[in-house]
């Protein structure tokens, strides 16, 4: 896969490194000559110095033959225009923009960007959820935070112990995908009875997350 | 008319001063407080300190009620972003941007964003004067 990454800093470095290790062909675009040198010394990529939203620069980065463009600069307006030029002029099929201001995520998608990722939103949600309950040990936001995968252990205080799953008033947009009991995995059915120390793997949308946690822990 | 101007530099402030003098109601937005010093004593509109890249700031300027939005910051990309937000999200009918980079005019005209390039206008003027002398 041919990928262009516009931006700088550690994020671009590690992202590029990960992509290269997966066999992707990465081109980095950065407008600072020192940064460019730094990248060129450390990564086996093409590094182009220039403003990523410039037509000429994207041309030089072979945007016309590229599968994916990712814009990660600290300026949302530059990310937006880079992505729009990539899509409009070069027809790059997959365009991803980071947004520094979380409010811009939906805005960018409305303005035609395939995927707008807000690191602030994802991290703040993660921190919020992680710090809330100790028995919740693992959380991964998927699809830019539109889905939560949660691991939760039922304690002795849980109001659902001894109940079957079908007895629970479980929200529609959430599901128990797996129960780990005595280190073996159970695929839950409606009649499965929940027990203390069960570890549940949940998938839910963020809006239902708190409802599910409250239901299973009894806490607010 | 209700006109929102983003960017109170030399161009934005001149526009604000003139339009205000003509009796239009004007709101100017700039992220630098000192930019408002460019406004004349006769300017009777409002100014808002804030970054035009933030939707909250645009909402504060009541952009949804604007008849005209002018994006005159010194950043082309910022002007283009503001213009798209004004047009697509808030449904403003008349949106004009200043673009330094003439190459972008064509791309963004396909987005139905009208732009004015001071560079192009200045070059045209220069050429006109040269030709006059030459003839």
């Amino acid at each position: 896969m041919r990928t262009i990454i516009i931006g700088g800093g550690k994020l671009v470095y590690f992202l590029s490194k990960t992509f290269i290790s997966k066999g992707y062909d990465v081109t980095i675009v950065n407008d600072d000559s020192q940064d460019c040198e730094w990248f060129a010394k450390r990564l086996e990529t093409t590094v182009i110095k220039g403003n990523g939203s410039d037509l000429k620069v994207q041309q030089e980065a072979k945007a016309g033959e590229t599968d994916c463009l990712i814009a990660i600069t600290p300026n949302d307006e530059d990310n937006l225009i880079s992505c729009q030029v990539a899509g409009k002029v070069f027809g790059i099929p997959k365009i991803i923009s980071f947004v520094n201001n979380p409010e811009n995520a939906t805005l960018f998608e409305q303005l035609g960007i395939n995927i707008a990722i807000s690191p602030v939103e994802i991290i703040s949600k993660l921190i919020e959820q992680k710090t809330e309950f100790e028995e919740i040990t693992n959380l991964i936001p998927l699809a830019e935070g539109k889905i939560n995968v949660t691991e939760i252990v039922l304690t002795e205080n849980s109001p659902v112990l001894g109940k079957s799953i079908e007895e629970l008033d479980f929200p529609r947009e959430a599901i128990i995908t797996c129960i780990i009991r005595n280190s073996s995995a159970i695929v839950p059915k409606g009649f499965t009875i929940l027990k203390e120390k069960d570890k549940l793997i949940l998938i839910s949308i963020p809006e239902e997350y708190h409802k599910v946690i409250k239901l299973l822990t009894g806490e607010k | 008319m209700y006109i929102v101007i983003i960017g109170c530099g030399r161009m934005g402030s001149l526009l604000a001063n003139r339009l205000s003098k003509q009796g239009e109601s004007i709101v100017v937005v700039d992220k630098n407080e000192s930019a408002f010093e460019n406004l004349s004593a006769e300017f009777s509109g409002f100014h808002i300190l804030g970054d035009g890249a933030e939707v909250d700031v645009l909402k504060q300027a009541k952009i949804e009620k604007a008849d005209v939005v002018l994006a005159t910051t010194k950043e082309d990309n910022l002007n283009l972003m503001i213009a798209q937000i004004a047009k697509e999200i808030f449904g403003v009918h008349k949106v004009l941007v200043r673009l330094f980079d003439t190459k972008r005019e064509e791309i963004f005209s396909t987005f139905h964003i009208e732009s004015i390039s001071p560079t192009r206008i200045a070059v045209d003027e220069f050429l006109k004067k040269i030709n006059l002398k030459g003839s």
Side-chain angles (χ1 to χ4, degrees):
Chain A
M1 191 167 82
R2 276 203 45 108
T3 304
I4 296 174
I5 303 177
I6 300 170
K10 290 274 165 65
L11 187 57
V12 170
Y13 172 69
F14 286 110
L15 204 58
S16 304
K17 217 173 139 177
T18 313
F19 284 173
I20 293 163
S21 73
K22 286 180 179 167
Y24 297 177
D25 183 352
V26 177
T27 300
I28 298 174
V29 176
N30 187 297
D31 59 3
D32 183 279
S33 37
Q34 273 187 328
D35 279 6
C36 286
E37 243 175 75
W38 193 89
F39 283 129
K41 272 186 197 158
R42 285 163 181 81
L43 294 166
E44 281 180 40
T45 54
T46 312
V47 181
I48 292 169
K49 188 199 168 294
N51 182 326
S53 65
D54 261 4
L55 270 160
K56 260 198 209 156
V57 173
Q58 290 204 12
Q59 211 157 23
E60 202 185 331
K62 298 204 178 87
E65 304 150 37
T66 296
D67 306 295
C68 176
L69 179 136
I70 309 166
I72 320 186
T73 79
N75 298 316
D76 285 353
E77 62 270 22
D78 292 338
N79 291 340
L80 176 74
I81 306 304
S82 297
C83 287
Q84 288 180 328
V85 168
K88 199 93 187 155
V89 181
F90 297 100
I92 296 179
K94 197 107 199 149
I95 295 164
I96 301 164
S97 176
F98 271 47
V99 292
N100 299 277
N101 177 352
E103 277 187 45
N104 283 341
T106 38
L107 207 73
F108 276 31
E109 288 177 354
Q110 278 173 290
L111 295 176
I113 309 303
N114 298 146
I115 301 170
I117 298 170
S118 160
V120 172
E121 200 180 321
I122 291 174
I123 293 167
S124 70
K125 270 189 190 161
L126 256 174
I127 291 171
E128 222 172 70
Q129 294 170 355
K130 276 240 185 224
T131 49
E132 227 167 336
F133 298 99
E134 279 175 16
E135 61 269 33
I136 300 165
T137 49
N138 191 15
L139 284 158
I140 329 162
L142 286 181
E144 308 98 56
K146 291 192 181 84
I147 303 168
N148 289 335
V149 181
T150 314
E151 199 179 278
I152 176 166
V153 180
L154 298 182
T155 63
E156 54 179 355
N157 301 323
S158 168
V160 297
L161 301 182
K163 284 187 182 169
S164 68
I165 291 171
E166 60 194 355
E167 281 177 81
L168 306 180
D169 183 23
F170 223 67
R172 276 176 70 93
E173 312 284 347
I175 189 168
I176 302 170
T177 59
C178 186
I179 300 171
I180 314 285
R181 186 177 292 163
N182 305 324
S183 18
S184 56
I186 300 167
V187 177
K189 301 276 188 284
F191 56 78
T192 307
I193 306 285
L194 296 169
K195 294 184 174 170
E196 194 185 333
K197 288 182 191 158
D198 276 356
K199 190 188 275 179
L200 313 182
I201 314 291
L202 302 169
I203 292 182
S204 70
I205 62 166
E207 292 77 15
E208 298 289 15
Y209 173 80
H210 291 282
K211 204 170 159 190
V212 174
I213 297 301
K214 198 178 161 190
L215 185 80
L216 294 172
T217 62
E219 294 172 44
K220 274 181 195 170
Chain B
M1 272 201 299
Y2 179 49
I3 302 170
V4 176
I5 300 171
I6 319 289
C8 192
R10 275 189 287 263
M11 183 178 275
S13 60
L14 194 59
L15 281 166
N17 289 337
R18 289 231 196 135
L19 289 165
S20 178
K21 209 172 167 186
Q22 283 175 28
E24 313 294 351
S25 54
I26 310 292
V27 170
V28 208
V29 178
D30 202 290
K31 60 180 172 186
N32 294 317
E33 182 105 60
S34 59
F36 300 122
E37 290 165 14
N38 292 324
L39 295 170
S40 67
E42 297 143 295
F43 176 77
S44 61
F46 293 95
H47 61 257
I48 291 171
L49 181 66
D51 190 341
E54 287 178 33
V55 181
D56 276 348
V57 173
L58 298 177
K59 280 185 192 158
Q60 216 184 318
K62 301 211 164 48
I63 195 165
E64 76 280 2
K65 289 194 179 136
D67 301 297
V68 178
V69 170
L70 306 175
T72 58
T73 77
K74 58 183 192 305
E75 309 283 344
D76 280 0
N77 287 348
L78 180 56
N79 290 341
L80 287 169
M81 177 164 137
I82 290 164
Q84 291 181 64
I85 293 171
K87 237 186 153 73
E88 305 299 328
I89 313 291
F90 294 103
V92 179
H93 287 298
K94 190 81 182 165
V95 179
L96 284 168
V97 302
R98 165 168 71 175
L99 280 192
F100 287 111
D101 183 358
T102 49
K103 290 188 292 295
R104 290 205 183 131
E105 281 175 297
E106 210 183 311
I107 308 167
F108 285 91
S109 67
T110 61
F111 284 3
H112 305 291
I113 290 168
E114 278 184 81
S115 58
I116 289 169
S117 161
T119 322
R120 186 187 293 280
I121 293 168
V123 167
D124 286 348
E125 283 299 309
F126 271 112
L127 290 180
K128 237 195 278 175
K129 298 215 164 167
I130 293 168
N131 287 341
L132 272 179
K133 279 203 169 165
S135 58

